[in-house]
Amino acid sequence: MIDTEVTVDFPVDSITARTKRCLQKIKPMIKLRIIKDCNANVPLKTGALRNSALRWAPLTNDYIVWDTPYAHFQHTGKVMIGENSHSPWAHYGEKKIYTNRNLTYRQGGSRWVEKTFTQRGSSWDRLAGALFKKEFNR
């Protein structure tokens, strides 16, 4: 029996820093792809809702926000009415509540992120892996 001792010096700190830099660099590219794919399911009237997410793409945070008035309302897909007035055109400052009635859309629809994720989620994973591998091996 032979006793062998092996010492491995693994640069964990530099690999961790490199990984973080790679993730920050590829994040905007992945976000653009997600926005592009989701926009096929986003309700369309004037295009303002679709275009609002593009402001979030270049940021290196982990969020994409469709930030127009009534975006949450459209994403939920339920009609909202004023708590007191019971009108879809609530009074100024009046709290709005959801009803059981569904919104109707000519194009796109509610829950567009979830719908697109079920359709395209695996392609987003593959894209992220390919972009990360390319960037890390530079």
Side-chain angles (χ1 to χ4, degrees):
M1 186 146 126
I2 300 173
D3 285 335
T4 309
E5 186 176 310
V6 177
T7 303
V8 177
D9 185 20
F10 198 70
V12 174
D13 292 338
S14 66
I15 291 173
T16 302
R18 187 174 177 182
T19 300
K20 286 181 182 179
R21 280 193 309 272
C22 289
L23 287 174
Q24 290 300 92
K25 192 159 187 179
I26 68 169
K27 211 175 274 188
M29 292 179 269
I30 295 167
K31 288 168 70 172
L32 274 173
R33 174 51 121 358
I34 291 170
I35 291 167
K36 179 180 175 262
D37 291 347
C38 283
N39 275 345
N41 293 320
V42 170
L44 177 66
K45 186 172 184 180
T46 64
L49 183 59
R50 288 182 177 185
N51 294 333
S52 71
L54 293 174
R55 290 188 291 262
W56 289 81
L59 304 177
T60 55
N61 60 21
D62 295 336
Y63 305 103
I64 299 171
V65 178
W66 283 265
D67 61 353
T68 60
Y70 307 110
H72 182 266
F73 163 69
Q74 291 178 337
H75 186 264
T76 305
K78 295 289 182 185
V79 174
M80 294 180 80
I81 59 172
E83 193 171 42
N84 298 321
S85 66
H86 300 287
S87 168
W89 294 274
H91 299 294
Y92 180 78
E94 182 180 17
K95 182 180 175 184
K96 292 189 101 174
I97 56 174
Y98 288 103
T99 65
N100 290 329
R101 294 186 328 218
N102 292 327
L103 290 172
T104 56
Y105 303 94
R106 282 188 239 153
Q107 185 177 353
S110 64
R111 305 280 179 202
W112 58 82
V113 177
E114 294 86 344
K115 285 178 188 173
T116 309
F117 180 76
T118 58
Q119 297 165 354
R120 309 281 300 157
S122 59
S123 72
W124 298 343
D125 289 341
R126 287 191 304 275
L127 174 67
L131 289 173
F132 182 82
K133 183 177 178 181
K134 182 179 177 182
E135 188 61 36
F136 193 82
N137 291 329
R138 264 191 189 174

